[in-house]
Amino acid sequence: MRRLDNTINTSMPFDDIYLEYYQRCFLFAKSYLQDEMLSKDIASEAMITLWTTMKTEEVKNVCSFLMTVVKNQALNHLRNEHLRMEARESILADELYELDFRIASLDSSDPNRLFSEEIVEIVNRTLGELPEKTRKAFMMSRYQNKSVKEIAGLLDVTVKGADYHIGKALQALRKSLKDYLSSFLFF
């Protein structure tokens, strides 16, 4: 039941309107959206909008009305899609920047130097927390290569006392470096 003037009598059954205009709406939307399901949804929404409008007012040019509704809905969708793509692009750019930074950082890092600096810091902190005689005994033994007998004489303790202080320092260091001791097996 085609009408040349595209004017619809409000008494015309919606089925006839649907049969005459739905396919045009669908094809128009699909030509811009290139998405069949979305185009069907928009064509259906346009038909519902037409039907709702016809209940309250006369629609002079049905084809023009429907194409305008389809155009506006398709434009809204495309604009929203454009915004989503810009946001994704921005997020991707940020992620690429972060990835480049991590690659450059990893590429320029020397794991052995970082590892040894961390260990030196832990050793110094642990030694700083020890009692003075224990710290001095350990430092003389390990950094100045003094014998236990020499250390005993310099600290005015027995040889057994000097040995005790060195052992106490080693025990504290083992405890502080427990997470790193297993790593030494790999090096």
Side-chain angles (χ1 to χ4, degrees), residues 59-77:
V59 176
K60 296 276 187 203
N61 188 330
V62 173
C63 187
S64 177
F65 179 89
L66 286 170
M67 292 304 132
T68 301
V69 171
V70 170
K71 172 191 158 196
N72 289 337
Q73 289 180 353
L75 266 174
N76 287 341
H77 173 78

Side-chain angles (χ1 to χ4, degrees), residues 5-155:
D5 64 357
N6 289 323
T7 303
I8 291 186
N9 181 340
T10 52
S11 64
M12 182 178 182
F14 186 73
D15 291 347
D16 292 343
I17 297 169
Y18 185 89
L19 289 173
E20 185 158 343
Y21 294 103
Y22 176 82
Q23 189 67 19
R24 277 193 234 175
C25 292
F26 165 72
L27 292 173
F28 181 64
K30 188 177 176 199
S31 69
Y32 289 98
L33 300 174
Q34 298 176 359
D35 180 325
E36 194 164 319
M37 290 305 294
L38 180 61
S39 298
K40 286 180 180 180
D41 289 345
I42 286 178
S44 296
E45 287 177 31
M47 299 306 293
I48 292 168
T49 302
L50 172 66
W51 186 251
T52 306
T53 303
M54 287 173 46
K55 287 183 177 182
T56 58
E57 59 188 88
E58 183 181 359
V59 176
K60 296 276 187 203
N61 188 330
V62 173
C63 187
S64 177
F65 179 89
L66 286 170
M67 292 304 132
T68 301
V69 171
V70 170
K71 172 191 158 196
N72 289 337
Q73 289 180 353
L75 266 174
N76 287 341
H77 173 78
L78 291 173
R79 285 179 179 141
N80 287 336
E81 188 64 29
H82 188 267
L83 288 173
R84 276 192 294 275
M85 288 177 85
E86 282 181 340
R88 251 183 293 181
E89 192 174 287
S90 175
I91 290 168
L92 183 59
D94 290 346
E95 288 174 353
L96 283 172
Y97 175 78
E98 180 188 345
L99 184 59
D100 286 344
F101 177 76
R102 290 187 343 218
I103 288 170
S105 295
L106 185 57
D107 192 35
S108 66
S109 72
D110 179 3
N112 293 327
R113 195 184 94 229
L114 293 174
F115 187 67
S116 64
E117 286 174 1
E118 198 171 332
I119 289 175
V120 167
E121 183 182 319
I122 292 170
V123 167
N124 288 336
R125 185 178 55 230
T126 303
L127 290 176
E129 294 170 354
L130 293 174
E132 187 178 348
K133 273 191 182 182
T134 304
R135 181 177 57 253
K136 283 183 177 180
F138 177 81
M139 292 177 78
M140 284 185 225
S141 168
R142 296 302 191 257
Y143 297 137
Q144 298 170 7
N145 293 321
K146 296 204 182 285
S147 69
V148 177
K149 189 175 180 182
E150 289 175 302
I151 295 168
L154 290 169
L155 291 179

Side-chain angles (χ1 to χ4, degrees), residues 159-174:
V159 171
K160 197 170 188 172
D163 198 34
Y164 166 79
H165 285 292
I166 294 168
K168 187 175 173 183
L170 287 171
Q171 185 179 17
L173 287 169
R174 272 190 215 101

